[in-house]
Amino acid sequence: MIEFLTAWLGSLPGFMTPLLLASLGLLFCERAGVLNLGVEGVMALGAMTGAVVVLAGYGTWTALAAATLAAIAVSIPFMLAVIVFRAPQIPAGLALVAIGLGLSEALGRDAAHKPFSGLQALPWPDTLVELPLVGRMLFEQDAIVILALIIAVIAARGLFRTPQGLRLRAVGEDPATADAAGVDVQLYQIVAVVIGSALIGLAGAYLSVGGSQIWTEGMVAGRGWISLALVVFAQWMPIRAILGAILFGGAEALIPRLQALGLEVPVYFLSMTPYLLTIGVLLILSLGTRTAQSEPGFLGRAYIRQDR
Amino acid sequence: MTDVETARAASADAAPALDVRGVSKRFGEATVLDGVDFDLRKGEVHALLGENGAGKSTLMNILTGIYAADEGQIAVCGAPARIRSPSDAVALGIGMVHQHFKLVMPFTGRENIRLAAGTARAGCDWVTVDARIAEVLRLTGLDVDLDVSVSALSVAERQRIEILKALTLGAEILILDEPTAVLTDQEAERLLGLMRDLASAGHAIVFITHKLREVMTAGDRVSTLRQGRMVMRGRAVTEVTSQALSVAMIGEQETTPIARGASALGAPLLQVQDLSVRNEGVGVVDGVTLTVHSGEIVGLAGVGGNGQRELAEAVLGLIPSTGSIALHGSALTDGSVSDRRAQGMRYVPADRTGHALSPNSSLAENLAAAAVRTGRLGHTFISIRTILGFAKSLINAFGIAGAIAGGRRPVRLLSGGNAQKSVLARELDDAARLIIAHSPTRGLDVAACRFVHDRLIEATARGAGVLLISEDLEEILALSDHIHVISRGRLATTENAKPGREDIGALMLGHA
Amino acid sequence: MLERITLERRADASALRSAATYGVALVVAVALSLGVMIWAGVPTGALFEELIVQVFLTPAGLARTLTQATPMMLAALAAALCLRLKFWNIGIEGQLLMGAIFATTVALYDIGGPIRLPLMLAASALGGALWIAAPALLRLRFGVSEVIVTLLLSNVAFLFLQHLLFGPFGDTSHNFPTSPVFDEMEKLVRFGFGDTHAGLILAVIAVLAIAVLVHRTRFGFAARFAGDNPRAADALGFETRRVMLISILLGGAMAGLAGGVIVSGTEHRLTQAVGLNMTFNGIVIAALAGNLPLMIPVVSFFIAGLSVASASLKVFYGVSEGIVLIIQGIILLTLVTFQFTATYRVTIRGPEAA
């Protein structure tokens, strides 16, 4: 039992991290009022870019940086469409999914199915790693796991404790009031989507460079969609996103562990839990008062200042 | 002398805060402000009266940098000033509390103030802002919880946050746009007290209101705008009577009622008994009782936003209400709109594009919508030819210009007057028995107004009854057989069926 | 910098301007798409041959295109019916999969005797409608955004499909996750023209029926009003919510039927790939067709041609299948971006004219 728990807990951060990074990225976009459905495609592009760069002989950190840049680059047409031209965000986001998935397939074909050596666990002393239960969870992890948690804390502080965060949230809640207070609505949205895309790209790159150390088509496997759900589940709060990522990632991590025990588990039903939980949360919140919901008030809508 | 009297005496020779000379503003053809003079002194509460559309908002928008004046000069604290943007206004110490608060609802009051302050002036760090908030709170004695979400606060508390925000941004000149309209009596009392306190502390306050009593209790001086002109400028409230103010605001020319055939009062069509509507727990319509007879136009006067729309929608069955509504003498039990329409109820809403038309559907479809709904144009299938044919007769009968291609083009491309004609054409059919017309001539030119009025009168000649809800007193006076005034969701009625202009003015102003 | 870009609603946003905008968007999208193909390694000279001749003008190519277009039409109807009521159905794939699952259930358990095939198709429509019922009710009754719920339920449906294929529905004769092949009586009749089958006729009938419903009936009229301005529809006494619910359920049924048609007409069994990219295809086609039912077959035909062409480009020039996704993404993004300019005028003010 201890052995099982140790292994499960040890694998949990690896499952948690991409979900956390992607949902933090989305959280930035959505707090500024931009619904970015493109996350699944942007993650795929990040995963592919990371793998290609590592296979080309560059270091893992270069690969992660390249993935974030690729993610930002692919989001530029999306930003242009929804922020500057106020195109409807839902179809524009779906188009971004297609472009991201398509590019990752087209550009990553030569890199597919080639194992490589990616991110390594931080070199903690063996005695720590071998601690029962929490040893592997805490001390057999790579730097990105720690970084993701730090980013979550920074995001929470940045959004809720700085003037820039206040303005960014104002843009997503009530752009007319933000505009009246002198905030450049579109600039803040662009900054939010750039930061968001970078984090989403990093999340994707972590899947290939960090987790499986191989790139295959379709390896994102719905994690982008789960991240969209996770943001709702976390009610647009970065710290709650950590809890959500642990919960959703924990459920995901459980499946291979249970299978390793040779148990007959309803794998697919277990995988449904994040989705069903999120729908449940949405329903419960809708029954409550309006103030209980923290969905940004202007999410997904286009703000156009009435011309004077 | 009391403190207030001392303050008032002192304000007479106080330093000028604001001096507006010869300001004009035109929007296209319409002159909204015509050579307006206005002056404001430090330490006074200066009441600004005027009907809707008199130009008060435009003047204030010029002072706060939202519009630029076409002509005229503005001096702030004796120095000529150019106010080109809202931030210029803030820098000059001009702050405004709008009727619709500019607050981010989920944010706390403190966050809202920080948001506004953080960009108004460079280098406004939160420590400084918080210190200023604390100082303003200490000086004014304002009492409001700054650390809960604004959405959880009452309207009066939100208003206090707006005032606090303006003062924290350094406003010496504070403009309050109908601040008491949204408050209860006790809250209004408290606000008036606060205004007096702020004036005593040296602030200059412009107080826009409709209520004479408030002018008398809280104002030092009063100015009145009518149709873009300053008809009464800076008179001390002690020198004017409420009657004089009422006349200044509404004018005194006699309105000649539009000639109508002898209106033999028919049977009661609509009987509303003790109707109330609550919105988020707040009563917006409060115990309204009125009757509309066949062949009669009942006018409902009042300043906008006093429950008119809710009353109309409740009668039509669009929103839930308590009390009873009887049509043709029998109480309505079925709440549905379609049932009431089947019994001849019709609705011309104030917001025609928002509440009456489908902007992207064609004119023909909009005209035919009611007939389609009842199945008159076909039970299951409906041909486009039927719709166009039906629409054609209405387009001709109502002279809807711009009906290109037989009404096939989207209705959103029509002008305001033609859009309104198309609503009337649909709603004033032969089966119309009770017509609720809300601001039916708003934004229309003279000819179109005349047209609308003629159609309503025609309908009464056919035996229909009309409930005419309007903010335009001329319209109410010219058309109505019976007049009620609505104020804060309650009906105020005089002894007479047709009260005079002054009586109505007094009722609208909440004076009676 | 961005503050100088101002937007004005055009007073003259006419039908002509929208048509012109659409045309320009299409030209730009096609130009970009051709650019992508050339970049991906298709020789310029072969573009016409591969994109036009091989998919529309040869019998084999045309048959493949029509076969692909069949479920696409139904998926596009699912998108358009919902979108006409401003309901974003991002879960077409899920409804389609439920439709396929329901049809397969009828087939595998030999339900219905002689009317089994019609029953399969009816069941598939029912499955799709049931799968959209939850988001529809959540939206109409509780105000929960349909975007996220349809999306999530789509993923739930896919997981359920996998559960069935790796479990109760799995074909034990091989190791691939598919159901056993259907009996002859459970297959839609083929025309003997490639793989084209009676599903094509079914899809065309569905398009025509929905076109009549939308444009020629009292219900369609009410739906048009309810979609454009629900308040005005309410004030006229239309039963706005009921009309919305029925339209959305009908949309879900169309998606479900697409699933039924794929399993009974094309695949003849349930596989993991039956719903692949169908949400996206449906939305792209509906957007290009301007949500007009009668335009859907035309647009579906071309989009199907594109995906058929991409398969042969892969074989002959080694071009990745991802290209077709990129191109569809570009088309959709270009279209929605240009749509905006039909209703708004963009002006960039000089620094002085503030």
Side-chain angles (χ1 to χ4, degrees):
Chain A
M1 190 61 195
I2 294 285
E3 203 176 311
F4 167 80
L5 283 176
T6 310
W8 175 53
L9 290 173
S11 68
L12 198 153
F15 284 97
M16 172 205 77
T17 302
L19 293 180
L20 179 58
L21 285 169
S23 56
L24 288 173
L26 277 171
L27 206 144
F28 270 101
C29 300
E30 296 193 9
R31 277 284 181 183
V34 179
L35 179 60
N36 186 353
L37 289 186
V39 52
E40 181 87 6
V42 177
M43 276 180 88
L45 188 72
M48 182 279 296
T49 310
V52 167
V53 173
V54 172
L55 285 168
Y58 296 95
T60 47
W61 290 95
T62 314
L64 296 175
T68 56
L69 289 178
I72 293 169
V74 80
S75 301
I76 289 174
F78 172 76
M79 287 189 261
L80 204 64
V82 304
I83 299 174
V84 179
F85 289 100
R86 270 70 153 201
Q89 295 179 6
I90 291 166
L94 291 174
L96 184 57
V97 176
I99 293 171
L101 285 175
L103 278 175
S104 66
E105 281 184 36
L107 297 173
R109 264 189 310 169
D110 299 337
H113 308 292
K114 291 179 185 163
F116 53 79
S117 170
L119 275 176
Q120 300 303 318
L122 292 171
W124 295 97
D126 284 352
T127 44
L128 288 175
V129 177
E130 283 155 15
L131 283 173
L133 279 179
V134 295
R136 289 181 60 195
M137 179 177 79
L138 295 176
F139 301 110
E140 201 185 55
Q141 304 300 336
D142 53 58
I144 298 294
V145 173
I146 315 288
L147 184 70
L149 293 168
I150 293 172
I151 291 173
V153 175
I154 293 174
R157 288 200 68 83
L159 283 171
F160 293 97
R161 297 272 183 275
T162 68
Q164 290 75 19
L166 184 70
R167 284 173 219 155
L168 189 141
R169 286 188 292 129
V171 163
E173 291 290 351
D174 185 348
T177 298
D179 194 7
V183 179
D184 187 332
V185 172
Q186 291 167 283
L187 185 67
Y188 269 86
Q189 289 187 325
I190 287 175
V191 170
V193 179
V194 167
I195 296 174
S197 304
L199 290 175
I200 294 166
L202 186 62
Y206 185 79
L207 289 174
S208 59
V209 179
S212 37
Q213 320 230 328
I214 192 172
W215 145 254
T216 53
E217 282 178 8
M219 76 181 299
V220 178
R223 287 187 182 83
W225 306 125
I226 294 192
S227 307
L228 274 163
L230 208 161
V231 178
V232 179
F233 186 83
Q235 288 290 289
W236 294 267
M237 301 287 185
I239 302 300
R240 283 196 216 170
I242 300 178
L243 298 177
I246 291 173
L247 188 66
F248 288 12
E252 208 184 330
L254 202 55
I255 295 165
R257 289 295 118 209
L258 290 173
Q259 284 172 323
L261 287 180
L263 284 175
E264 274 291 322
V265 283
V267 178
Y268 301 105
F269 287 104
L270 208 54
S271 303
M272 287 177 196
T273 45
Y275 302 113
L276 297 176
L277 263 178
T278 303
I279 293 173
V281 166
L282 276 171
L283 180 62
I284 290 164
L285 287 172
S286 73
L287 297 174
T289 54
R290 265 195 302 161
T291 47
Q293 295 177 43
S294 51
E295 176 174 323
F298 220 74
L299 181 60
R301 289 155 66 188
Y303 169 66
I304 294 166
R305 184 199 291 178
Q306 286 302 308
D307 221 46
R308 295 170 192 160
Chain B
M1 265 208 240
T2 65
D3 285 353
V4 171
E5 282 164 343
T6 318
R8 288 189 185 194
S11 72
D13 44 23
L18 194 61
D19 195 16
V20 175
R21 296 218 174 261
V23 162
S24 296
K25 179 71 186 174
R26 280 172 290 277
F27 291 110
E29 296 290 293
T31 301
V32 182
L33 288 178
D34 187 3
V36 165
D37 293 346
F38 178 69
D39 76 292
L40 180 68
R41 298 171 192 152
K42 288 181 182 165
E44 77 164 342
V45 174
H46 193 139
L48 182 61
L49 278 170
E51 284 191 293
N52 282 354
K56 295 171 307 209
S57 302
T58 309
L59 179 59
M60 294 307 127
N61 281 335
I62 287 171
L63 292 177
T64 50
I66 291 169
Y67 297 142
D70 296 331
E71 288 163 30
Q73 290 91 43
I74 298 166
V76 178
C77 297
R82 283 192 69 186
I83 308 172
R84 281 166 298 188
S85 71
S87 51
D88 283 354
V90 171
L92 287 164
I94 301 172
M96 177 146 180
V97 176
H98 294 267
Q99 252 183 309
H100 299 284
F101 302 145
K102 296 206 183 307
L103 294 173
V104 180
M105 279 298 153
F107 284 14
T108 65
R110 191 178 300 281
E111 284 177 321
N112 268 292
I113 296 173
R114 285 169 170 175
L115 177 70
T119 47
R121 288 173 195 172
C124 268
D125 62 295
W126 286 0
V127 178
T128 319
V129 175
D130 286 354
R132 275 221 303 273
I133 293 173
E135 195 187 324
V136 173
L137 285 175
R138 190 176 55 78
L139 289 175
T140 57
L142 267 169
D143 168 33
V144 59
D145 190 345
L146 283 175
D147 297 303
V148 298
S149 165
V150 172
S151 57
L153 296 176
S154 72
V155 174
E157 288 170 309
R158 292 176 195 174
Q159 189 175 57
R160 264 174 265 154
I161 286 172
E162 279 281 21
I163 293 170
L164 181 60
K165 184 170 97 184
L167 295 174
T168 306
L169 293 182
E172 291 295 323
I173 298 165
L174 193 60
I175 302 166
L176 299 159
D177 189 5
E178 296 191 32
T180 55
V182 290
L183 302 182
T184 66
D185 290 339
Q186 293 89 330
E187 289 168 343
E189 280 310 315
R190 194 172 163 186
L191 176 68
L192 297 181
L194 174 66
M195 282 162 51
R196 292 262 29 116
D197 291 346
L198 289 173
S200 308
H203 288 91
I205 293 171
V206 180
F207 173 36
I208 299 174
T209 183
H210 283 291
K211 301 192 178 98
L212 290 182
R213 197 187 54 76
E214 294 175 350
V215 174
M216 294 302 181
T217 48
D220 293 307
R221 291 193 298 153
V222 56
S223 294
T224 307
L225 271 170
R226 187 169 80 234
Q227 291 168 359
R229 293 188 189 185
M230 199 59 94
V231 291
M232 178 189 281
R233 189 185 151 212
R235 299 271 298 278
V237 290
T238 46
E239 294 169 16
V240 292
T241 62
S242 54
Q243 194 189 5
L245 284 177
S246 185
V247 169
M249 188 170 118
I250 311 176
E252 53 190 339
Q253 83 278 21
E254 266 311 304
T255 309
T256 39
I258 293 170
R260 296 171 51 189
S263 53
L265 213 58
L269 272 175
L270 172 75
Q271 286 156 299
V272 174
Q273 193 74 41
D274 202 22
L275 185 85
S276 296
V277 177
R278 298 184 79 75
N279 185 10
E280 288 179 19
V282 182
V284 284
V285 176
D286 191 359
V288 165
T289 297
L290 59 79
T291 303
V292 180
H293 295 87
S294 167
E296 181 187 38
I297 297 180
V298 172
L300 190 60
V303 176
N306 271 292
Q308 288 97 325
R309 181 168 62 82
E310 290 80 1
L311 174 64
E313 292 187 350
V315 172
L316 189 69
L318 270 175
I319 56 174
S321 59
T322 57
S324 74
I325 302 168
L327 207 51
H328 305 299
S330 54
L332 290 173
T333 46
D334 184 349
S336 80
V337 177
S338 54
D339 178 59
R340 296 179 196 196
R341 289 189 65 97
Q343 295 190 49
M345 204 184 275
R346 298 291 183 270
Y347 183 38
V348 180
D351 179 0
R352 37 192 173 263
T353 42
H355 297 164
L357 297 170
S358 160
N360 292 308
S361 298
S362 70
L363 169 62
E365 287 172 323
N366 274 284
L367 288 171
V372 169
R373 164 72 194 98
T374 57
R376 243 182 85 193
L377 301 183
H379 183 265
T380 306
F381 294 99
I382 292 165
S383 81
I384 288 182
R385 199 180 304 158
T386 315
I387 288 178
L388 287 173
F390 181 84
K392 193 180 169 193
S393 58
L394 288 180
I395 290 170
N396 293 336
F398 280 76
I400 301 169
I404 296 164
R408 282 191 187 84
R409 292 180 69 202
V411 80
R412 69 184 148 83
L413 300 176
L414 291 184
S415 70
N418 283 310
Q420 185 68 327
K421 277 184 183 175
S422 47
V423 177
L424 288 173
R426 184 181 73 206
E427 299 295 308
L428 303 189
D429 60 338
D430 292 338
R433 301 294 297 149
L434 177 85
I435 298 144
I436 306 167
H438 190 178
S439 295
T441 57
R442 182 190 284 169
L444 303 189
D445 61 30
V446 179
C449 282
R450 181 82 208 181
F451 179 87
V452 171
H453 290 162
D454 288 347
R455 292 287 89 74
L456 290 176
I457 291 164
E458 258 176 40
T460 58
R462 287 198 305 267
V466 176
L467 178 61
L468 174 66
I469 305 171
S470 179
E471 290 175 50
D472 181 351
L473 201 49
E474 298 303 323
E475 179 171 55
I476 295 270
L477 286 168
L479 291 177
S480 308
D481 301 299
H482 198 117
I483 297 175
H484 299 281
V485 177
I486 189 166
S487 173
R488 263 196 223 152
R490 280 191 289 261
L491 280 201
T493 317
T494 54
E495 296 297 312
N496 304 336
K498 282 199 76 170
R501 171 184 295 274
E502 275 169 28
D503 294 335
I504 295 174
L507 289 170
M508 275 169 70
L509 296 166
H511 191 62
Chain C
M1 179 199 80
L2 286 166
E3 283 176 328
R4 288 213 210 109
I5 302 173
T6 60
L7 306 167
E8 279 174 72
R9 190 172 258 282
R10 288 182 191 274
D12 59 338
S14 62
L16 187 68
R17 186 183 293 280
S18 338
T21 309
Y22 183 88
V24 173
L26 223 48
V27 169
V28 171
V30 168
L32 286 171
S33 307
L34 292 176
V36 168
M37 286 195 204
I38 292 164
W39 163 77
V42 184
T44 319
L47 282 172
F48 181 76
E49 174 70 14
E50 293 298 339
L51 289 175
I52 306 294
V53 179
Q54 287 302 324
V55 296
F56 300 125
L57 304 178
T58 64
L62 186 62
R64 272 198 296 274
T65 301
L66 288 172
T67 310
Q68 288 251 9
T70 303
M72 283 187 182
M73 283 189 237
L74 293 166
L77 284 177
L81 273 169
C82 295
L83 259 179
R84 291 179 73 91
L85 286 143
K86 301 212 171 85
F87 182 94
W88 283 96
N89 182 0
I90 318 290
I92 295 172
E93 211 166 304
Q95 296 135 29
L96 186 149
L97 292 178
M98 284 325 264
I101 289 169
F102 271 50
T104 305
T105 308
V106 172
L108 294 186
Y109 292 93
D110 295 340
I111 301 165
I115 57 152
R116 192 179 306 157
L117 185 58
L119 195 66
M120 282 166 68
L121 295 170
S124 69
L126 177 70
L130 283 177
W131 208 239
I132 208 171
L137 289 171
L138 281 173
R139 154 81 184 274
L140 295 176
R141 196 157 277 284
F142 301 107
V144 176
S145 161
E146 76 279 11
V147 176
I148 202 91
V149 180
T150 50
L151 187 70
L152 298 185
L153 284 178
S154 201
N155 286 284
V156 172
F158 184 67
L159 290 166
F160 184 55
L161 171 78
Q162 285 185 301
H163 166 77
L164 292 175
L165 291 180
F166 285 103
F169 281 12
D171 184 350
T172 44
S173 67
H174 55 70
N175 282 328
F176 299 106
T178 70
S179 75
V181 175
F182 293 171
D183 300 337
E184 280 310 309
M185 69 174 298
E186 294 156 1
K187 297 176 183 173
L188 284 164
V189 63
R190 295 213 161 160
F191 301 141
F193 181 62
D195 286 345
T196 54
H197 51 79
L200 180 61
I201 294 173
L202 211 59
V204 170
I205 291 172
V207 165
L208 293 175
I210 287 185
V212 169
L213 179 75
V214 162
H215 296 297
R216 292 281 187 276
T217 66
R218 201 145 72 101
F219 178 86
F221 192 101
R224 204 149 59 242
F225 254 67
D228 196 36
N229 188 349
R231 289 199 63 131
D234 280 338
L236 281 163
F238 287 114
E239 288 161 299
T240 310
R241 278 186 181 206
R242 196 176 134 255
V243 166
M244 288 183 79
L245 181 63
I246 292 174
S247 295
I248 295 165
L249 290 179
L250 196 56
M254 288 300 121
L257 190 59
V261 163
I262 292 174
V263 291
S264 63
T266 316
E267 299 285 334
H268 296 163
R269 58 184 179 178
L270 188 61
T271 75
Q272 284 195 90
V274 291
L276 200 65
N277 291 332
M278 279 308 223
T279 297
F280 189 64
N281 284 328
I283 287 173
V284 169
I285 294 166
L288 279 167
N291 296 326
L292 294 171
L294 289 179
M295 286 294 289
I296 283 175
V298 181
V299 180
S300 300
F301 186 61
F302 286 107
I303 294 291
L306 185 65
S307 87
V308 170
S310 83
S312 73
L313 290 177
K314 184 185 179 185
V315 176
F316 293 111
Y317 304 99
V319 171
S320 161
E321 272 184 275
I323 289 298
V324 71
L325 275 175
I326 300 175
I327 289 172
Q328 287 194 22
I330 287 174
I331 292 172
L332 184 59
L333 201 57
T334 313
L335 194 73
V336 292
T337 304
F338 271 82
Q339 251 167 17
F340 170 83
T341 60
T343 35
Y344 286 92
R345 187 196 310 279
V346 183
T347 49
I348 299 171
R349 288 184 292 179
E352 291 305 307

